Every structure is written in structure tokens, then in C-alpha cells.
Amino acid sequence: MHDSSKSRAASATLPDVQKSPDTRNIPIDKVGVRRVRFPIAVLDRSNEKQHTIGNFTLTVDLPSHFKGTHMSRFLEALNSHGREVSVDSLPALLHEMTVKLHAEQAHVEVTFPYFMLKKAPVTGKEGMMEYTCGFNAVGNGECQVDLFARVPVATLCPCSKEISDYGAHNQRGWVTVRVETRGHVWLEELIEMIEESASCALFPVLKRPDEKWVTEHAYENPRFVEDLVREVAIRFDQRDCISAYEIEVENEESIHAHNAYAYLKRAK
Amino acid sequence: MHDSSKSRAASATLPDVQKSPDTRNIPIDKVGVRRVRFPIAVLDRSNEKQHTIGNFTLTVDLPSHFKGTHMSRFLEALNSHGREVSVDSLPALLHEMTVKLHAEQAHVEVTFPYFMLKKAPVTGKEGMMEYTCGFNAVGNGECQVDLFARVPVATLCPCSKEISDYGAHNQRGWVTVRVETRGHVWLEELIEMIEESASCALFPVLKRPDEKWVTEHAYENPRFVEDLVREVAIRFDQRDCISAYEIEVENEESIHAHNAYAYLKRAK
Amino acid sequence: MHDSSKSRAASATLPDVQKSPDTRNIPIDKVGVRRVRFPIAVLDRSNEKQHTIGNFTLTVDLPSHFKGTHMSRFLEALNSHGREVSVDSLPALLHEMTVKLHAEQAHVEVTFPYFMLKKAPVTGKEGMMEYTCGFNAVGNGECQVDLFARVPVATLCPCSKEISDYGAHNQRGWVTVRVETRGHVWLEELIEMIEESASCALFPVLKRPDEKWVTEHAYENPRFVEDLVREVAIRFDQRDCISAYEIEVENEESIHAHNAYAYLKRAK
Amino acid sequence: MHDSSKSRAASATLPDVQKSPDTRNIPIDKVGVRRVRFPIAVLDRSNEKQHTIGNFTLTVDLPSHFKGTHMSRFLEALNSHGREVSVDSLPALLHEMTVKLHAEQAHVEVTFPYFMLKKAPVTGKEGMMEYTCGFNAVGNGECQVDLFARVPVATLCPCSKEISDYGAHNQRGWVTVRVETRGHVWLEELIEMIEESASCALFPVLKRPDEKWVTEHAYENPRFVEDLVREVAIRFDQRDCISAYEIEVENEESIHAHNAYAYLKRAK
């Protein structure tokens, strides 16, 4: 289907519209590609490579004097860079992007499903639990990589428990964090700090003794969204490696069709 | 911007590609437009017109000898037909579609947000509660209009309640029904039958005495997805106007990241 | 179902958990409710009230010494405030929220489907075209209301046009803007400035002469995402009423499964 | 955290609510779990295992005399069954589900992102292209496994090309197929038959000579949604291994905000 000599010839004669000068005098903060799906391997804490699928946004700045960027080079950089993605490997990808695209600064945002093997609290039955994690890297040679995690948990309402003769409404809640680090922090650590802050963690497999345990554990640990956002903040404050963070909690209230929400941003 | 004499002239001379013959000998079941968003008014049980926004799929069958259908005519039919959409008004729209598009049969599927004013169970505080409702109409002159409703409810787990010393996990669940009728049934009636079948209905506004009531009410009425699908079926069976139905229940389990699910289809 | 004397009695004796003191010493930036769906009317440029459906996030700040906020009061504020939502009416809602919730500052974010009657460029055939618009209001008595719009357009690739003997790939693109104003700007004006910046606007109804016009118009006005973001910026720069803006463009490329993307933020 | 002797003891004494008799006399078509996310490996045509992430719905029928099913057993079956999922391995999972859950029939629906290495048409530049694929298996020992694929393509409008002096609107379209087979069919074959039927396939990496090629190729092969659904049908008809199929095409029209749609179902 393709003929490389013909292709080279063709390429040489085809005009490069993107490279043409632009007179509107407007530099653009970020230009690139989004929703790029790519199979990757992430190194997890148990030192195994976890195969997953990245959803990438790759961008660079564009100076005012160029009409456009060369979008295909983002994909070439991603393909050539290989499939292993980590806090340590992202600076090289950023650097390659700035070189290939003649840019000052590059951004890589990637999110991916991330699995942890999780044991039921009483029977120890194992299953795979999914979280959405990610990295947000910006820079050139020197670069900053922030961590992202989105973790489902159970929350039980302290007010409902206090005022009711029996029972208490509870629900699935979602905790989303973006964390700036100044040392190594595992995604697993973020997930564990979040799960500890909730009324109870979620589990993939629960037999009846486990279900009894999680029901009673949640009842013993009621949490408003306000409590949950503060409990996560306390744990992040205790870790020197975490230099700044954003925490969002959204509870899919089981008594309403709308959600309860709390948001906290802090730089240490 | 437009000049109708020029436009008529242009139209007369432009070839009609859709109308050209097709030799592949393949009739198509449904051809048309989807995700057409259009402001509509729906008559509700309190005899007031409720303004909402329809999400339409409009299709017709296409005989094997035509290359294509004329997509713009679906939009013209919708625009000319006016904004009031009901079980009674849909046959006229279907008929107009079959005439304009030279088809044997037309389909209109429309879903829309539907609001009911709802009072808190103890204090009576009022608020607006949203449901997703819809109609599915098929035919020509004679036509069948099915009803659609998607209703969020609370479900409390009977097993968790039974085995735990205190508390019981509960969560938001979603009940989706498609109903074939042989007489008039209000969307409000479907919604009420579904809410009665759950551990508890959801409410837009709940003060503390209400929250106590819904917490205890749910605890007193535990429901598996299996119970919920059966309780809705019992109510539908009791109504002669309902001749067939499909019921789907999906519980956003507060102890798992996955959902519990039940599905039932029955023609009487 | 409800008995107000009993309810008042109940309310008086039920503990107020939210009001209890908190010793974790962590103020929360935003606490409130999200995904609150509520029917509203928005005043449009033709001086008519347009019925639509708001998707609200209502939040306040929470001082460190309170355990929680009173979530039901957000819904009460929304219900009591009435259904007409505009740049002019939002300050009153913000004020009511700060009073009811004893907060320093309140935030209202609302997005809604917004329709404009739009004529085909040649035949003048009319139809309803949907945009997603919104307001983002923050403050107490004095408050700032930013505008939001998300507009689908057509973009035709300048490079593809230049290098190909015939044709040029084109696609649906989405332009999302957030605008800070220091005077009145209609949502319709934002939409028009965006549509003018694209290769071509989209239309609900197009007859053949119209389709010829839009096809040729897009071919005559090729735009990269970079061009589109700059063209919108130029128009925003020309308007004194606009004091700051963010523009995002995402092209659903018809030659790739991923999207092209450009982002620009500027304060004048 | 867990103590197995205690757990066994607890389990023995905890009541089994699900097993209790039900007198409502309503059998349920499908009961189970949904949105179960699980890392899997799928064997691809190049004989390599492709790591991906399954989104599972696992259900069984429930006879009228049981109150509920045992949801945790679905997860245990999935965990014990291992991570390799294929047309050949699904019957064993179905069988395990019917045994563990005392059911007559089981259903497994799984969808997953599926990647193919794809070369640009002129330069041969390689990249990864994502499709959504899946299996739908139902039965007990004997079982039927249907294939699912959702493929993005480019479509160029024959009418727009014919009536315009230059250019032609084109866009991303989505082809979704469900296929019943009576012999082995690779997912890759389905994808290729669909891509051949479109105006042009999509590609992850395109350099300028490639972009010229795909632009001109699409222009030379205009397709309505009607053409596309028929072209796919013709290819499915030619394959004896395919005994029945459903084809859905949805074009994200670049001249409208709504989509063009065609649907065809056929059993040979």
C-alpha cells in the first residue's frame, strides 16, 4: 500500500502550511492532541508492570509567529517513546516533544485504569479493584510530575445516624485528588490514605462475614463530605513528600438525586 | 444572506443524489437522524404544560431501490409539527414523516427530563425532582406509543440488615422501564409505582425530621434488586392498561465499585 | 403523609450534628451540592424568556470551626429564589446563600441547554439550534458573574486542502469559552463571535442549495484549531466589555480517532 | 485484618437471606452484576496476547421460588476463571456460573478496548489504533458467542460532493456491529470489513503524503450512512461464517449538531 521512495518525493514537494508565518500576534498556551488512547505499562508498588490503557493529552506552547503545530509528531513521540509510563519516564517524553515540536514547554496529561488486588476484610477473598489514576507532567528538561487519583468509597451520614432510631443512609462517594510531590509517592499510598479517610473502603468480593464487617465498620465511622475532605487533607499534611494538593469529594447521596460536594486546595 | 428566487433556481438544477436508484438490493430497517435536541412542552397530570428539552431519534424504513433518504425533511417535520409532544400528538408526526419521506413506517423515539413537584415526607417542604421520561412511537396512521421512565430510588440491602448488629448498606439505584399500554397511563403513575416499590423514594429537599423518616423507612423496607424488579412487576401486572413491559434495575452498590443488576421482560 | 406540628416538635429535639464544633482546624474552600437539576427560564436577546433546565453546583466556604454545612438550605434557596436565572438575578441568590448558610462567600455554577432559532444560509429554512451555556457567579453582595458557552462548529483543515488535488478533511469541532465581563454581553453574541471564527457554522435544517453553500463556504475558510482559537481571541480582544477569557477548541478529526486541541487564556 | 476460623464460624451462623423462599411467583430473566471492570488478555490474530480491560455484565436467570441470587459468586467465578478471555474460553465461565449459582442459563457480556497496529497508507508510519470490541455469550454447556465491534471511520457526503463546485463535507462516523457466527471470525476481520466499507479508514499517524492520500481517497469514495450500512451488509453476506448480524451507523455530521443514522438487522 505504501511506497517509500514515492512518499519521500511527495513529502519534499508538499507545502508545509503549519510552518507558514502568522501575523495575528497571538501566542497559544497549549496546542496538541487529546483523547489519544494508547496501551501502556505502569510500574506498581509490588514491582510488577501493570498493563493498562492510557488516555493522553499531549500539548506544547505555540509562539505567535507560527501558524500551526505539527500534530503527527505528538503521536510519533508517543510511539517512539515506548509503552512504559511512570513519574521517571515522563521527563524524556516531554523533552522529545519540545525538540520535535520546537517548543519551550510541553505538557503530558495521562489517566488510566489502575488495579489493585484487594482482600475482603474477614474472609480474605481476593479480587481486582479498579481506580482511575494519572500523571500530569509539565516542563522541558526539568519537569514537575503531579499525581492524580480518583477513588470510590463508602460514606455514611453522621446526621442520619444520630437522628434516626435505626439505620443511617450511606452511599458511594468519589474522592478525586491532584497531588504535587517533592519525593516519591506511590499511587497505592494515595489510594490507601483516601480509603482510610472514608466510612469504609469498597471491595470487589465480599462474603457474608465481610458484608457484616463493612456494614458495621461504616456505621461506626460516619463521614460527611466535609469530614472526608478534611481526613484526606490531614493525611496529606502529614506526608512531607506532598507539597501541595487539591481534594474533591462527591457523594452520590442515597436520599437525593443530587450529590453532596466538598473541595479543598492547599499549598504547604 | 439568503435569496429565495436564487435558492429556488439553484434547487431546481441541483442533482438529487438520494433519489438515484440503488442496485445493491438491500432495504434498510431504519434511516434518519439522531441526537436531535429540540425544546418541547409535555402535558403533565396536573394539566399544565411542562417545558422541557427533547432528545429525538427520527427514522423511517428505506426500500432497497433508493440510494438514500432526505435527512432535512425529518427536521422540517419536527419544526412544522410544533413543540407539544404527547402520546396523542405523536401519530400525526409519524404520519407526516411517512408522507414526506415516502416511507411505509416511521419511528419517533424521544426522551426528556421530566420534573415533579415533590414534598418532603414530614415537613412537607417542596422541591423539584427530575426523572428521565420518554415516548417510543412506531407506525403510520395506526400507531403504538410506548412509555419510558428512568427513576432514581434508594435501596437498602436485606442481607446486610439481617446479618449486621447495626446499620445496613444502602445506595442510589436506577429503575428503567419501557411499557406498552392499551389505555392511558400517566408518566407520573409509572414513577409512583416505581418509587413505592423501592426501599424509599428520593426527595429534593429533606429537613432533619424528614431525613429521620427516610432513613428509618428505608431500614424498614429492605430491597434487593430482585425484590425491586418483582415489586414493580406486581404493580404493572395489576394495571389492565399495561399490556407488556420491560424492567431494569441497577444498584450503585455502596460496598462495591460495581453494580447489582436485575432485568425482567413480560407480555401479558 | 406529613404533620407539621409533629414535624416542628421533632425538629426541635433532633440534634444538629453539622453545627457541632470541629477541632481539625481545616477550613474548606467549597462545600455544597452538585448536579442539582432545576427547570429555569433565561432571558434571551429577543427579549423572550427561554424555558430550559439548569444543572447547578451551589457551594459556600466553611470555616474551620464547623463540622458541616446544612445541605438542604441550598435547595431551599434555589426553590425560594424562583426560576428566572440571569446575570442580574444571580447576586440575590448568592446573597441568600451566604445568609442562610452563615458563609463569607457563595458560588453558583449553572449550565443549561440554550436554543437559538437559526435560518439556513440560502433557503432561509428555520430550525432550533442547541448550545450549552452557563453562568459562574461568585461573591456575596458584590459579585462577579462569568459567562460560559460551548458551541459546535465546522472546521476544514488548511493543510489537507493545500496538499490535496481535491477535497479537504473537515469535521465537527467544539469551542468552549469562559468569559469575564465588565459590561453586558449576550450569550448570543459569544455564540456569534465563535461561529464567525470557524470554517462554517452548523445549522439545524439545510436544503440542497444550503448544503452547497456551507460546503463551499467551509472550503473557502479553512481553519486549524490554532486559527480558530486565535480568531475567537481577536474578536474577544475587540470587545471592551470582555476583560478576560479562556478559549478551548477541540476538533473531532475526521482522519483520526483522536482530537486536535488548542487552549488560550488571557486577561486584558 | 481477617481470621479465617472466625470467618468460617461467622459464616456458618449468619442467615442466608437470598436463599429464603419467595412467594411472589415471578421468575427473573437476568440477575447479576454490571460494570465489573477486570484486567484481561485477549488473543489477537497475530497470535499475541493483548492486555486490555474488560467491562463485564454477568447474569443468570433466577427461578421464582428464590428471593435472591448470590452476587459475590459472580466475582469469584470471574477471579477463579483467570484473565484470558476469548470465544473459546467463555463457555467454561458460563458453565461455572450456572453451577455456582444453581441456574439454568448464564450470560456474559464483555466489552474492551482493542488495539491494532496500523500503518499510514503512504509513508507506512506505525501507530496504535483503538477499537471497542466485545463478546456476548449465553448458554450453559452448549453456548453461543456473538461478536461486537465499534469502529470509527470517515464518511464523505455524496450529495455535498455532487452539488458543490469544490469540497464535500465529511466527518467521523461510528459503525457498531453485533455478529452471530457459525465458525471462527477474528475481530480484526470485522474491523477490516467495516473500514473497507467507509469513505476512508482512520489512522493514528499521518504525515503529509498520507494526509493527501486519505483526503483524496475519501473524496473518491463518498458514502451516505445508507451506503455504509449496505456496504457492511454486503461483506457480511459474503462470509458463510456469519449467520446473522445487526449494523448501526451514526455519522457525527460536520454540517449539523445532530447525527445521521442507519440501522439494519438480518438473519441469513
Side-chain angles (χ1 to χ4, degrees):
Chain A
M1 204 180 198
H2 59 93
D3 167 339
S4 64
S5 65
K6 184 183 150 201
S7 117
R8 258 182 313 249
S11 216
T13 56
L14 292 175
D16 186 346
V17 181
Q18 285 86 340
K19 221 173 140 184
S20 61
D22 200 282
T23 58
R24 284 167 291 195
N25 199 28
I26 302 176
I28 306 181
D29 300 353
K30 294 184 186 182
V31 181
V33 289
R34 215 177 204 188
R35 228 187 68 90
V36 176
R37 307 266 299 167
F38 196 74
I40 57 174
V42 181
L43 193 74
D44 66 25
R45 190 173 52 182
S46 54
N47 251 330
E48 288 180 36
K49 268 186 283 181
Q50 181 170 142
H51 296 278
T52 183
I53 292 162
N55 188 345
F56 286 86
T57 298
L58 306 171
T59 56
V60 294
D61 61 295
L62 184 74
S64 62
H65 56 278
F66 283 127
K67 180 171 172 66
T69 195
H70 292 84
M71 299 284 180
S72 63
R73 297 183 192 171
F74 291 101
L75 278 292
E76 290 179 287
L78 190 61
N79 279 309
S80 75
H81 184 75
R83 301 201 185 163
E84 313 219 342
V85 171
S86 70
V87 171
D88 295 335
S89 73
L90 285 170
L93 175 57
L94 285 172
H95 183 66
E96 193 174 334
M97 284 163 59
T98 53
V99 170
K100 271 195 195 245
L101 289 144
H102 311 292
E104 291 297 309
Q105 223 180 24
H107 300 251
V108 174
E109 285 176 57
V110 55
T111 59
F112 43 84
Y114 194 70
F115 285 87
M116 286 174 67
L117 189 69
K118 207 165 177 185
K119 291 183 180 186
V122 178
T123 64
K125 285 267 182 185
E126 289 185 345
M128 299 302 291
M129 175 86 186
E130 186 201 36
Y131 306 91
T132 302
C133 292
F135 302 120
N136 190 349
V138 57
N140 185 327
E142 294 271 307
C143 87
Q144 173 64 34
V145 183
D146 294 344
L147 306 182
F148 170 87
R150 181 166 153 81
V151 176
V153 298
T155 58
L156 184 137
C157 178
C159 170
S160 169
K161 174 183 174 180
E162 183 66 28
I163 63 179
S164 304
D165 291 342
Y166 34 79
H169 78 81
N170 50 75
Q171 56 268 317
R172 214 185 273 168
W174 294 91
V175 183
T176 307
V177 300
R178 285 167 211 82
V179 170
E180 186 188 297
T181 60
R182 60 164 83 93
H184 189 74
V185 179
W186 287 105
L187 292 168
E188 287 85 346
E189 293 176 275
L190 290 183
I191 292 167
E192 286 164 359
M193 287 188 271
I194 291 166
E195 290 186 337
E196 284 168 19
S197 302
S199 293
C200 196
L202 304 191
F203 294 90
V205 186
L206 293 172
K207 303 305 291 179
R208 266 174 294 148
D210 304 307
E211 187 169 355
K212 175 180 166 60
W213 188 93
V214 299
T215 302
E216 295 173 357
H217 186 77
Y219 193 81
E220 291 156 2
N221 293 278
R223 294 279 187 277
F224 287 130
V225 282
E226 294 93 327
D227 292 312
L228 184 41
V229 85
R230 279 168 168 156
E231 289 299 315
V232 176
I234 286 171
R235 281 161 182 80
F236 285 179
D237 283 340
Q238 288 165 348
R239 288 290 304 263
D240 288 337
C241 290
I242 295 177
S243 47
Y245 54 81
E246 267 185 287
I247 309 166
E248 245 183 343
V249 179
E250 192 161 346
N251 262 5
E252 297 173 346
E253 299 286 292
S254 66
I255 59 173
H256 298 302
H258 61 260
N259 297 344
Y261 177 74
Y263 171 83
L264 181 58
K265 180 175 185 167
R266 185 179 287 202
K268 293 193 203 170
Chain B
M1 204 180 199
H2 59 94
D3 168 338
S4 64
S5 65
K6 184 182 151 202
S7 116
R8 258 181 313 247
S11 217
T13 56
L14 293 174
D16 186 346
V17 181
Q18 286 85 342
K19 222 172 137 185
S20 60
D22 201 281
T23 57
R24 285 167 290 197
N25 199 27
I26 302 177
I28 306 181
D29 301 353
K30 293 184 185 181
V31 181
V33 289
R34 215 177 203 188
R35 227 187 69 90
V36 176
R37 306 267 299 167
F38 196 74
I40 57 173
V42 181
L43 193 74
D44 66 25
R45 190 173 51 181
S46 54
N47 251 328
E48 288 179 35
K49 269 186 282 181
Q50 182 170 142
H51 296 278
T52 183
I53 292 161
N55 190 343
F56 286 85
T57 299
L58 306 171
T59 56
V60 293
D61 61 295
L62 184 73
S64 62
H65 55 277
F66 284 127
K67 180 171 172 66
T69 195
H70 292 84
M71 299 283 181
S72 63
R73 297 183 192 172
F74 291 102
L75 278 293
E76 291 178 285
L78 190 61
N79 278 308
S80 76
H81 183 75
R83 299 199 186 163
E84 311 218 344
V85 171
S86 69
V87 171
D88 295 334
S89 73
L90 285 170
L93 175 57
L94 286 172
H95 183 66
E96 193 173 334
M97 284 163 58
T98 53
V99 171
K100 271 194 195 246
L101 289 144
H102 310 290
E104 291 297 309
Q105 223 181 24
H107 300 251
V108 174
E109 284 178 57
V110 55
T111 59
F112 43 83
Y114 194 71
F115 285 87
M116 285 173 68
L117 189 69
K118 207 165 177 184
K119 291 184 180 187
V122 179
T123 65
K125 286 267 181 185
E126 290 184 343
M128 298 303 291
M129 176 86 186
E130 187 201 36
Y131 306 92
T132 303
C133 292
F135 302 120
N136 190 350
V138 57
N140 184 328
E142 295 270 307
C143 87
Q144 172 65 35
V145 183
D146 294 345
L147 307 181
F148 170 87
R150 181 166 154 81
V151 176
V153 297
T155 57
L156 185 138
C157 178
C159 170
S160 169
K161 175 183 173 179
E162 183 66 28
I163 63 180
S164 304
D165 292 342
Y166 34 79
H169 78 82
N170 50 75
Q171 56 268 317
R172 214 184 273 167
W174 293 90
V175 183
T176 307
V177 299
R178 284 168 212 82
V179 170
E180 186 188 297
T181 60
R182 58 166 83 93
H184 189 73
V185 179
W186 287 104
L187 292 168
E188 287 86 345
E189 293 177 276
L190 290 183
I191 292 167
E192 285 164 359
M193 286 188 272
I194 291 166
E195 290 187 337
E196 283 168 20
S197 302
S199 294
C200 195
L202 305 191
F203 294 90
V205 185
L206 293 173
K207 304 304 291 180
R208 267 174 294 149
D210 304 307
E211 187 169 355
K212 175 179 165 63
W213 188 92
V214 299
T215 302
E216 296 173 356
H217 186 77
Y219 193 81
E220 291 157 1
N221 293 278
R223 295 278 186 278
F224 288 129
V225 283
E226 294 93 328
D227 292 313
L228 185 40
V229 85
R230 280 168 169 157
E231 289 298 316
V232 175
I234 286 171
R235 281 161 183 78
F236 285 178
D237 283 341
Q238 289 165 348
R239 289 291 303 264
D240 288 336
C241 289
I242 295 177
S243 48
Y245 54 81
E246 266 185 288
I247 308 166
E248 243 182 345
V249 179
E250 192 160 347
N251 262 4
E252 297 173 346
E253 299 287 293
S254 65
I255 58 173
H256 298 301
H258 61 259
N259 297 344
Y261 177 74
Y263 171 84
L264 181 59
K265 181 175 184 167
R266 184 179 289 202
K268 291 195 207 169
Chain C
M1 205 179 199
H2 59 94
D3 167 341
S4 65
S5 65
K6 185 184 152 202
S7 117
R8 259 181 312 247
S11 215
T13 56
L14 292 175
D16 186 346
V17 181
Q18 285 85 341
K19 220 172 137 186
S20 61
D22 200 282
T23 57
R24 285 167 290 196
N25 200 29
I26 302 177
I28 306 181
D29 301 352
K30 294 184 186 181
V31 181
V33 288
R34 216 176 203 190
R35 227 188 68 92
V36 176
R37 306 268 297 167
F38 196 73
I40 58 174
V42 181
L43 193 74
D44 65 27
R45 192 174 50 180
S46 54
N47 251 329
E48 286 180 36
K49 269 186 281 180
Q50 181 169 141
H51 296 278
T52 183
I53 291 161
N55 189 344
F56 286 86
T57 298
L58 306 171
T59 57
V60 293
D61 61 295
L62 185 74
S64 62
H65 56 275
F66 283 126
K67 181 171 171 66
T69 196
H70 293 84
M71 298 284 180
S72 63
R73 296 182 193 173
F74 291 101
L75 278 292
E76 291 179 286
L78 190 61
N79 278 309
S80 75
H81 183 74
R83 299 198 186 166
E84 312 219 344
V85 171
S86 69
V87 171
D88 295 334
S89 73
L90 285 169
L93 174 58
L94 286 172
H95 183 67
E96 193 173 334
M97 284 164 59
T98 53
V99 171
K100 272 196 192 242
L101 289 145
H102 310 291
E104 290 297 311
Q105 223 180 25
H107 300 251
V108 174
E109 283 177 59
V110 56
T111 59
F112 42 84
Y114 194 68
F115 286 87
M116 285 173 69
L117 189 69
K118 206 165 178 183
K119 290 183 181 187
V122 178
T123 64
K125 286 267 181 185
E126 289 185 342
M128 299 302 291
M129 174 87 186
E130 187 201 36
Y131 307 92
T132 302
C133 291
F135 303 120
N136 190 349
V138 57
N140 186 328
E142 295 269 308
C143 87
Q144 173 64 35
V145 183
D146 293 344
L147 306 183
F148 170 87
R150 182 165 153 81
V151 176
V153 297
T155 58
L156 184 137
C157 178
C159 171
S160 170
K161 175 183 173 179
E162 183 67 28
I163 63 180
S164 304
D165 291 341
Y166 34 78
H169 78 81
N170 50 76
Q171 54 268 318
R172 215 185 272 167
W174 294 91
V175 183
T176 307
V177 299
R178 285 166 211 84
V179 170
E180 187 188 298
T181 60
R182 59 164 84 93
H184 189 73
V185 179
W186 286 106
L187 292 168
E188 286 85 347
E189 293 176 276
L190 291 183
I191 292 167
E192 286 163 358
M193 287 188 272
I194 291 166
E195 290 187 336
E196 283 167 20
S197 302
S199 294
C200 196
L202 305 191
F203 294 90
V205 185
L206 292 172
K207 303 305 289 181
R208 267 176 293 149
D210 304 308
E211 188 168 355
K212 176 178 165 61
W213 188 92
V214 301
T215 302
E216 296 173 357
H217 186 77
Y219 193 81
E220 292 156 1
N221 293 277
R223 296 278 186 279
F224 286 132
V225 283
E226 294 93 327
D227 293 311
L228 184 40
V229 85
R230 280 169 169 156
E231 290 298 316
V232 176
I234 286 172
R235 281 160 182 80
F236 286 178
D237 282 341
Q238 288 165 346
R239 289 289 305 263
D240 287 338
C241 289
I242 295 177
S243 47
Y245 54 81
E246 267 185 286
I247 308 166
E248 244 182 344
V249 179
E250 193 161 347
N251 262 4
E252 297 173 347
E253 299 286 291
S254 65
I255 58 171
H256 298 301
H258 61 260
N259 298 343
Y261 177 74
Y263 170 84
L264 181 58
K265 181 176 184 167
R266 185 181 288 200
K268 293 194 204 170
Chain D
M1 204 179 197
H2 59 95
D3 168 340
S4 64
S5 65
K6 184 183 152 203
S7 118
R8 258 182 313 249
S11 215
T13 55
L14 292 175
D16 186 346
V17 182
Q18 285 85 342
K19 221 172 137 184
S20 61
D22 201 281
T23 57
R24 285 167 290 196
N25 200 30
I26 302 177
I28 306 181
D29 301 352
K30 295 185 185 181
V31 181
V33 289
R34 214 175 204 192
R35 227 188 67 90
V36 176
R37 306 268 296 165
F38 196 73
I40 57 174
V42 181
L43 192 74
D44 66 26
R45 191 174 50 180
S46 54
N47 250 330
E48 286 180 37
K49 268 186 282 181
Q50 181 170 141
H51 297 278
T52 183
I53 292 162
N55 189 344
F56 286 86
T57 298
L58 306 171
T59 56
V60 293
D61 61 296
L62 185 73
S64 63
H65 56 275
F66 283 127
K67 181 172 172 66
T69 195
H70 292 85
M71 298 283 181
S72 64
R73 297 181 192 173
F74 291 101
L75 278 293
E76 290 178 287
L78 190 61
N79 279 309
S80 76
H81 183 76
R83 300 198 186 167
E84 312 220 343
V85 171
S86 69
V87 171
D88 295 335
S89 73
L90 285 170
L93 174 57
L94 285 172
H95 182 67
E96 192 172 336
M97 283 164 59
T98 53
V99 171
K100 273 196 192 246
L101 289 144
H102 311 290
E104 290 297 311
Q105 221 180 26
H107 300 252
V108 174
E109 283 176 58
V110 56
T111 59
F112 43 83
Y114 194 69
F115 286 86
M116 285 173 69
L117 189 69
K118 206 165 177 184
K119 291 184 180 187
V122 179
T123 64
K125 286 268 180 185
E126 289 185 343
M128 300 302 290
M129 175 86 186
E130 187 201 37
Y131 306 92
T132 302
C133 293
F135 303 120
N136 190 349
V138 56
N140 186 328
E142 295 271 308
C143 87
Q144 173 65 33
V145 183
D146 294 344
L147 306 182
F148 170 87
R150 182 166 153 80
V151 176
V153 297
T155 57
L156 185 137
C157 178
C159 170
S160 170
K161 174 182 173 180
E162 183 67 28
I163 63 179
S164 304
D165 291 342
Y166 33 79
H169 78 82
N170 50 75
Q171 54 268 319
R172 213 184 273 166
W174 293 90
V175 183
T176 308
V177 299
R178 285 166 211 84
V179 170
E180 188 189 297
T181 60
R182 60 164 84 93
H184 189 74
V185 179
W186 286 105
L187 291 169
E188 286 85 347
E189 293 176 275
L190 291 183
I191 292 167
E192 287 164 357
M193 286 188 272
I194 291 166
E195 291 187 336
E196 283 167 20
S197 303
S199 294
C200 195
L202 305 191
F203 294 90
V205 185
L206 292 172
K207 303 305 290 181
R208 267 174 294 147
D210 304 307
E211 188 169 354
K212 176 180 164 60
W213 188 92
V214 299
T215 302
E216 295 172 358
H217 187 77
Y219 193 80
E220 292 157 1
N221 294 277
R223 295 280 187 277
F224 287 131
V225 283
E226 293 93 327
D227 292 312
L228 184 41
V229 85
R230 280 170 169 156
E231 290 298 316
V232 176
I234 286 172
R235 281 159 183 80
F236 286 179
D237 283 340
Q238 288 165 346
R239 288 290 304 264
D240 287 338
C241 290
I242 295 177
S243 47
Y245 55 81
E246 266 185 289
I247 309 166
E248 243 183 345
V249 178
E250 192 162 346
N251 262 6
E252 298 173 346
E253 299 287 291
S254 65
I255 58 171
H256 297 302
H258 61 260
N259 298 343
Y261 177 73
Y263 171 83
L264 182 58
K265 181 175 185 167
R266 185 180 288 200
K268 292 193 205 172

